[in-house]
Amino acid sequence: MNRDNQFDVIVIGAGQAGPSLAVKFANIGKKVAIIERKLFGGTCVNTGCIPSKTLIASAEVAHIARRAQDFGILINGDIKADMKKVKVRKDDIVNKISSGLESWLKDTKNCTVFKGHAQFEDPYTIRVGDELLKGEKIFINVGARASVPPIEGLKKINYFTNSTIMDVDFIPEHLIIIGGSYIGLEFAQMYRRFGSNVTIIEKASRLIPREDADVSDTVKEILLAEGIDIRLNAECIELDKHDEKVIVKLDCKDSAKNITGSHLLLAIGRVANTQDLGLDKAGVEKDERDFIKVDDQLQTNVAHIWALGECNGKGAFTHTSYNDYEIVAANLIDNHSRRVSDRILTYALFLDPPLGRAGLTEAQVRSSGTKALLGKRPMTKVKRAVIKGETQGFMKIIVDAETKQILGAAVLGVGGDEIIQSILDVMYAKAPYTVIQNAVHIHPTVTELIPTMLEELKPL
Ligand SMILES: Cc1cc2nc3c(=O)[nH]c(=O)nc-3n(C[C@H](O)[C@H](O)[C@H](O)COP(=O)(O)OP(=O)(O)OC[C@H]3O[C@@H](n4cnc5c(N)ncnc54)[C@H](O)[C@@H]3O)c2cc1C
C-alpha cells in the first residue's frame, strides 16, 4: 500500500456530521481522509431540509399573495408559481451550500477528499475505486435514503421520491402522495400552494400518527382548509396506470375507492445506507433494521470504528447528526464526556403554521403513569396570531407535578418552530417551569402566552 494512503482518521460520507469531524481532526494535525460518493452535504443540503424549506418558502409567498385582500392589500391578476424560477432559486441555494462545503474540505490542511463509493476491505482498510486507504480510526456517516417498499404495481409507474421530486420544474396536475407523515405533509401543502391538486394517502387512522391525536386532527383541518384531499385507513394500497395517469387503489377491491392522479410521490420512510459498505468485512454489527449498532458515545462493537448520523438509528434529523459530531469530538478530542442519552428529542414539521415539538407527547406521559400537569392554549387566544391572521393551531405543555420540570411540549401555530426552543432550553437546564412563568416576555409575541398557559395547568 502507498504510504500516502495511511491516515489517522477516515470519514465515510460528507453528510451533516462527517465534514465537521474531518476538519476538527485535521485542525489538530491529524492526517484525515473524507470520502463522498455523491453530493457534499448529503441529504439535508441536496434533497432534504434545505431544498424542501426553500421550496416551502416560495409556496408560502404564493399563499400570502393569495390572501393579500384579507389584509387590505390589492394584487391585480392571478397568483401563479413559475416552477422553472422556483427551481432555479432552490438550485442556487443548494449548490452554493454544497460547493461551499466541498471547498471547505478541500482547502483544509491535512484533509484529503476522495470522491467515490467507500467499502470496507477489512477492519482498517477502505476501498474507494482502485484506491485502498488505511485508517487508525474510522467514522461512518453514510446517512439514509427514501424507502421504496414493494407495493403491488409500482413497477408500472414513474414515481417520485424526496430526491427525484427535487428535479421537478412544472406543476403536477394532481399529485398523489403515499405517506401522511412529516415529509409527505410538507410536500402536500407546498404543491397545493404551487397550484396542484393533492391527495394524501395514509395507512394509519390519522396523519403523523406518532404525534398526539389533537396535533394530528388539527394538522388535518389545516390541510383540508387548503383543499387537500386526505384518505386515511388505506388498508391495502395497489398501483396501476391508465393513459399515463396513476391509479391508486385504496382497498384493492372496491374500485369506487380508486384515486386517479397525474403523478405519485412516495414518502414512506427511510432506510440506512448500510447494505453496500462491506460492514461484514470489518465485523461491524447492525440491528434488525439495518442501522449500525452503537453505544451511548457512538462507538460500534469494533473499538476503532464509530457511526454518526441517521445510519445509527439514534436520530433522523440534521441536528441529531450534527450533535453526533459534537459528541464524538467532545469525547475523542476535547476531553469532555458527552452522550446521546443527554439529548432531548426535538424537531419541527415545517407546515404553515409549523409544529415545534420537544420531549414527550401527552400520550407518552399518560402511559408512563407520571403524575403530571397539562396546559393548553388555542392560537385564537394569542394576540400575535390574531394580528397576523394566523389563528390555526394551539400550544400545549406537560410538566411533572412533583419536580415541576417540563416533560414535553408542542407548539402548532405561527412561529412554532422557533418558539419551542425557549421551552427546550429550560428543559436542558432541568429548571422548573416556574422560571418561564416568572420571566417577562416581549409583547405582542406568541411566547408571551406561555406563562399564561403555565398559570392554567390542570392535572393530566
Ligand atoms: C425531504 C426531507 C426533508 C427533511 N427536512 C429536515 C428538516 O427540516 N430538519 C431536519 O433536521 N432534518 C430534515 N430531514 C432529515 C435530514 O435531512 C437527515 O436526517 C440528515 O441529512 C441526516 O444526515 P446524515 O449526516 O446522517 O446523512 P446524510 O446527510 O444523508 O449524508 C450521508 C452522506 O454519505 C454519503 N454516502 C453514503 N454511502 C456512502 C459510501 N458507501 N461511500 C461514500 N459516501 C457515502 C451520501 O452520498 C451522503 O452524502 C429531511 C429529510 C428529507 C428527506
Side-chain angles (χ1 to χ4, degrees):
M1 172 170 316
N2 181 344
R3 274 190 61 78
D4 284 350
N5 280 354
Q6 295 194 354
F7 292 90
D8 298 314
V9 167
I10 296 179
V11 177
I12 305 175
Q16 295 303 304
S20 300
L21 191 65
V23 170
K24 180 108 178 169
F25 272 117
N27 285 345
I28 59 162
K30 299 289 178 194
K31 190 178 167 194
V32 176
I34 182 162
I35 310 157
E36 172 52 54
R37 71 177 176 190
K38 215 169 170 200
L39 297 166
F40 287 79
T43 307
C44 178
V45 171
N46 299 287
T47 57
C49 343
I50 301 293
S52 62
K53 273 78 231 180
T54 306
L55 293 172
I56 285 171
S58 289
E60 199 171 333
V61 171
H63 181 69
I64 292 170
R66 286 187 194 110
R67 291 189 61 206
Q69 286 207 19
D70 298 351
F71 296 81
I73 304 297
L74 298 183
I75 298 179
N76 292 323
D78 281 353
I79 309 297
K80 282 191 187 143
D82 177 340
M83 288 304 284
K84 291 209 169 16
K85 287 196 177 150
V86 166
K87 181 172 178 293
V88 166
R89 178 175 186 272
K90 183 266 294 173
D91 288 343
D92 280 351
I93 290 174
V94 166
N95 293 341
K96 270 192 198 115
I97 299 176
S98 182
S99 59
L101 189 65
E102 185 172 355
S103 310
W104 181 48
L105 290 168
K106 286 183 172 164
D107 295 345
T108 296
K109 205 176 146 208
N110 304 324
C111 181
T112 309
V113 174
F114 291 84
K115 280 190 166 180
H117 176 80
Q119 258 180 313
F120 282 92
E121 286 286 316
D122 66 46
Y124 289 93
T125 312
I126 306 290
R127 173 177 291 283
V128 191
D130 294 336
E131 302 218 54
L132 292 176
L133 318 181
K134 244 186 181 3
E136 255 178 51
K137 289 187 170 66
I138 299 176
F139 300 89
I140 305 170
N141 175 218
V142 292
R145 63 185 184 282
S147 157
V148 180
I151 303 173
E152 191 64 41
L154 188 62
K155 286 203 180 107
K156 298 184 211 164
I157 312 286
N158 287 326
Y159 57 88
F160 297 124
T161 64
N162 72 276
S163 298
T164 53
I165 202 168
M166 293 304 171
D167 297 329
V168 168
D169 63 357
F170 58 91
I171 300 171
E173 182 202 324
H174 183 172
L175 180 65
I176 302 178
I177 300 176
I178 302 186
S181 202
Y182 308 89
I183 292 175
L185 298 189
E186 289 183 5
F187 279 107
Q189 189 181 49
M190 173 208 304
Y191 270 94
R192 180 70 192 135
R193 290 177 170 193
F194 285 147
S196 297
N197 289 315
V198 174
T199 302
I200 301 169
I201 296 173
E202 167 58 49
K203 273 196 161 184
S205 58
R206 56 189 173 88
L207 299 173
I208 37 173
R210 266 183 249 150
E211 302 298 334
D212 284 327
D214 53 357
V215 172
S216 295
D217 293 347
T218 308
V219 163
K220 186 176 164 197
E221 279 167 24
I222 290 166
L223 297 177
L224 286 175
E226 292 198 28
I228 294 170
D229 183 20
I230 299 172
R231 306 295 180 97
L232 302 171
N233 301 303
E235 285 167 29
C236 159
I237 298 173
E238 211 180 290
L239 302 170
D240 209 345
K241 198 174 156 186
H242 183 68
D243 288 346
E244 299 308 309
K245 298 272 184 201
V246 180
I247 300 167
V248 185
K249 302 176 181 179
L250 288 189
D251 74 355
C252 310
K253 288 183 221 118
D254 179 2
S255 61
K257 288 199 179 165
N258 291 359
I259 295 165
T260 304
S262 59
H263 295 82
L264 178 73
L265 168 66
L266 294 185
I268 17 189
R270 314 255 310 147
V271 280
N273 292 323
T274 54
Q275 301 84 0
D276 51 5
L277 258 180
L279 288 175
D280 48 332
K281 293 189 182 164
V284 173
E285 288 175 4
K286 295 191 281 181
D287 68 14
E288 62 290 344
R289 295 179 59 212
D290 262 354
F291 291 120
I292 299 173
K293 286 189 190 173
V294 289
D295 66 13
D296 211 13
Q297 296 190 323
L298 304 168
Q299 198 166 22
T300 69
N301 61 305
V302 179
H304 68 282
I305 303 177
W306 288 256
L308 298 82
E310 237 179 297
C311 68
N312 66 25
K314 302 256 177 207
F317 302 101
T318 288
H319 46 275
T320 46
S321 179
Y322 190 77
N323 181 233
D324 283 1
Y325 145 68
E326 294 175 315
I327 290 167
V328 169
N331 292 321
L332 298 186
I333 302 173
D334 295 333
N335 224 3
H336 296 150
S337 175
R338 290 185 73 173
R339 294 174 180 276
V340 182
S341 52
D342 296 333
R343 190 151 80 199
I344 298 170
L345 180 69
T346 189
Y347 52 88
L349 165 61
F350 291 90
L351 286 180
D352 176 21
L355 167 69
R357 278 269 303 108
L360 301 174
T361 61
E362 181 185 337
Q364 285 169 329
V365 176
R366 278 185 197 282
S367 63
S368 73
T370 308
K371 239 177 106 190
L373 306 170
L374 172 94
K376 190 167 173 182
R377 191 167 193 89
M379 286 293 160
T380 47
K381 288 171 83 178
V382 174
K383 285 190 191 70
R384 184 59 185 269
V386 175
I387 291 165
K388 294 187 80 138
E390 297 186 30
T391 51
Q392 293 166 311
F394 60 86
M395 50 189 178
K396 72 173 171 180
I397 195 161
I398 306 139
V399 305
D400 188 304
E402 273 151 30
T403 66
K404 294 190 164 51
Q405 283 183 18
I406 300 165
L407 299 171
V411 182
L412 173 57
V414 56
D417 49 338
E418 297 287 350
I419 292 155
I420 194 70
Q421 316 211 42
S422 63
I423 297 175
L424 183 69
D425 290 340
V426 175
M427 292 172 78
Y428 270 106
K430 295 188 171 28
Y433 72 82
T434 46
V435 169
I436 304 185
Q437 201 179 0
N438 296 333
V440 177
H441 293 93
I442 299 166
H443 175 77
T445 60
V446 179
T447 311
E448 72 173 331
L449 270 303
I450 297 175
T452 315
M453 176 168 69
L454 289 167
E455 266 166 38
E456 296 163 358
L457 291 173
K458 302 217 164 53
L460 190 69

